[in-house]
Amino acid sequence: MKMTPQIVFGVQIILFLCTHYSSALYEDQVGKFDWKRSFIGKVKHAQIENKKIISVTHENVLASINLKDGKLSWRQLLEDPTEYEIKLLHIDRDIYTISSSLDNWILRSWDISTGSLLTEKNVIIEKTHSSEYSVTNGILHHVVPFAESHLEVTSYYLLTGDSTGPTNKISAPWIADVSDCLLTKTYYVCISRGISTYDYYSGQIYYRDIISRNGFVMIKPIHTLLGEGLGTVEMRTFNADVPGFLLVLNNVAKLVLIEKDILVAKSMDNIQSAVGIKNEDKLVLYKLEASDNPDKLIRVVGMDYLSGSNLRSVDIDYPIGLGTPRIMAISIKGSITDLLLTTTDDAVLFVRLPEGKILWTREEALSAIVATEFVELPVSELDASIENEFKTSSSDIVSMFTHRLTSQAKQLSNFILGSQLLSNSGLVRDEFGLHKLIVAATRAGKVFALDTLTGSIAWSYRMPNVKPIKMLGEEKMILFMQRSARYLPLPAQCLLLAEDSNSGNTVLFQFDPITGYSQKGVERLNYKIAQAMLLPHEDETNTKAVLVLSSTNQVYIYPSSSEPLVKKSISKTYLYLVNTQSSTLRGFNFHHTDPDFSLTPAWDVNLKGSKIVALSTRHPNERVHSQGRVLPDRSVYYKYVNPNLVAVATLSDDPLHKNVLSIYLIDGVTGLVLYATSHKRAKGPVHLVHSENWLVYSYFNERFRRTEVVSAELYEGHILSNSSVFSSHAVSLLPHVQTQSYILPATPSKLAVTLTEKGITNKFLLLGLTNGAVVELPWLFFQPRFNDIPCGPEESCMPYMPEVPLPSEAVINYNQSIGRIKGIEVAPARLESTSHILVHGLDIFYTRVAPSKTFDVLKEDFDYMVIVLVLSGLILASYVTKYLAGKKTVKQLWK
């Protein structure tokens, strides 16, 4: 068979792909350079059953936790929590859950041992109203309330999901507001407030048994339960095996139980955190209160509901640094009582009484990371002593000689004694920069430091009443590295900006990322943040200042001691603001500034009629190694590398094309729109990634019902305008743009690009997919092709393929799927070939990638013994040869 040139070229492409992806992960390498931590999120409902904890979380996760060690036995990720909400968790022989939205709800049953789905029934609701659910004697009751009208109650068999009969409509004109009502077992209870919200004296409590056929509605005046007074009454659910609820007045709660259609109220201290459980036919209440023991923080108190006497009081070893606890689930077996606690910072603790010991703790706050930073570790004490050996404030020869002798004597003693040279925690810098700390801020207001080698928590710090800042539909905190750990003896320093959950003002937290120590703690400022940026200049303490712009355009500098340095360089500082509500971008500068750092408007880009859905800029630490691209004719096509470029994506409605996606490349200094394009019948989610001189973005094509990826490269041409310094004000011609479109056979949730220290290593694109995989693909796949230039192996170019291949060998997390990927963070190592990768979402996955392979380090299986033997043989052979050559020369001279 004769091989045509097309077949030969196709074989070359296949061999190229196979050669590139032949470096797969071997089985013995699993977990050596990577680790994964799995979470479930903030617990919403939980029950302790058969040495398992069955829990449902706000992230719509159903999970089983091992009672002994707190590890996950199995986990099921249900629908998107923004669309569906788990309203009910019921355990019989199997697990039953109800996921509800406004127009339908889903009843599922699960195997309690394996977590496998057994049955599923979808019920459509004709009217979009909130619903309540309860289970009694194997019957599921679905209650739909209508304000000032009626209740619609439908019952189903829990095992089959079939309806037991027609919907029962109950007249309920006493429902003033659905938010003032709740369902407890089979009783629907509502509060009808008095003349004013603050005056509850004339208010009433209405309650009715929804399965009773007598149709009676019971009424109870609120003041008969709470007494006379003023205040706002709030009704809350009570976790117990009997129907009841809590009435809260001025932060004081009173427990109200429904006993044979009669409301019985009792006043108890700290009842808001209590749960009730039946033990030997009597109701036992367990609650938490502060301990008077200075070595213990929390006390668990068990009370008999009828007599009010204390049955048990145990102080527990509650760790310092956790939030306020709350009892979520309880189990009593004989004299042993197990408690599952949750905290305000989303931690989960398991306590066993009467020992009062916390058997395990799960930091579920890590399931919602909103800011990350890779932190370089300090050098060891030995390296620090060597660096400080020649550092002395005196120029006297005798003092310098004495300082050197004492430092070397200390090094010798430490070398003999051993471990004193290393830090107790082992957090020291290695030679290649592979050991780092990951500082992560979470949505719950807790900051963690994770070790990249093991994934363990080095330290944590809780910030009370703190929440993230909303940016383009996402929740984020702003984290800056002001000073790294290389400036000994000065400690490293980070600055975190967030929002106060009560006032909405800015919260500032300055801390040492290595130890977690903060000198000032959490500082609550009196303004709201609009923009923040890390300035490039360092002051005399090697600290970079952070410029914060308030919502009233006031400028603040942190630390304030850096203001004189900032004033010297403020004229070259530019910033921009993005207003998602008005779809505008505004740029500012400080050219005409006064001592108060007043802003001067510089440009304005109005995108009204569309909605800004995504924004991307280049990574601030990215370095561009090559200024141009070498063409096959040996000419250079220079890149347009603009560090001030901002990529903006907008969506707008169109009567003909439904949705139109627009992409803009805007200069952040001058506001010049350098490139713009649009895609018809396109919708989100839109993901952008900008690096060097290229941009990649993805969107969903409604016409062909597929996900597409578009890449764009910007070039200046064959003549470089300025080879040393780039200036946005010196732009004379718009860049040449090369674009290419591809089909992506998957749905991406995040895009990122690898980052190395010098930028020499080839760029690889990281695609976080909705199925939990993270795929690493070379930029060569997406690079736009020139129409008039040949493309093949000789040109280091791959011919255009409409569909991007996603080989399984390119999945960097192999079979460790990551639930709901929300971010991919990249940082360079000191090895040029290596990048740190952190993928976070519901889980956390860390690994190291080498896009161009480890060209700057020897392989692990390198045979050192063979090379030693070869070199020893060569040295011996050289001496023998030298001896023989000398002997031969002597013989020739005697002839």
Side-chain angles (χ1 to χ4, degrees), residues 297 318-322:
L297 297 178
Y318 195 75
I320 299 176
L322 292 180

Side-chain angles (χ1 to χ4, degrees), residues 9 87 97 171 238 372 399 573 601 704 723 738 753 801 838 884:
F9 186 72
K87 289 289 188 71
T97 62
S171 177
F238 178 65
T372 57
S399 60
T573 302
F704 298 105
S723 60
Q738 297 284 338
V753 65
M801 294 181 293
L838 178 72
L884 293 178

Side-chain angles (χ1 to χ4, degrees), residues 119 266 321 545 669 732 883:
T119 61
K266 284 193 176 183
V669 173
S732 57
Y883 172 75

Side-chain angles (χ1 to χ4, degrees), residues 533-537 547 565-576 588-593 597-600 602 643-644 667-670 725-729:
M533 60 185 300
L534 183 68
L535 300 178
H537 305 288
L547 186 148
L565 177 65
V566 173
K567 288 181 180 179
K568 295 180 181 179
S569 58
I570 197 66
S571 60
K572 299 180 181 179
T573 302
Y574 301 84
L575 59 85
Y576 62 91
F588 300 89
N589 58 32
F590 297 88
H591 282 308
H592 307 286
T593 185
F597 297 106
S598 62
L599 289 174
T600 302
N644 307 317
D667 193 298
V669 173
T670 62
V725 179
F726 178 86
S727 175
S728 295
H729 297 287

Side-chain angles (χ1 to χ4, degrees), residues 468-537:
I469 305 169
K470 289 187 178 180
M471 304 177 184
L472 292 175
E474 296 183 354
E475 294 180 328
K476 295 288 184 181
M477 291 185 184
I478 305 174
L479 182 60
F480 293 119
M481 173 64 69
Q482 290 187 286
R483 182 172 58 219
S484 64
R486 60 184 177 180
Y487 298 106
L488 291 174
L490 297 174
Q493 182 173 302
C494 278
L495 182 71
L496 180 67
L497 295 172
E499 192 174 292
D500 190 284
S501 57
N502 296 325
S503 62
N505 291 336
T506 304
V507 172
L508 185 145
F509 179 53
Q510 202 171 54
F511 61 99
D512 182 355
I514 308 300
T515 62
Y517 172 74
S518 176
Q519 185 177 4
K520 298 181 180 179
V522 178
E523 301 179 58
R524 303 185 186 274
L525 309 178
N526 58 357
Y527 62 87
K528 296 182 179 180
I529 186 173
Q531 181 64 286
M533 60 185 300
L534 183 68
L535 300 178
H537 305 288

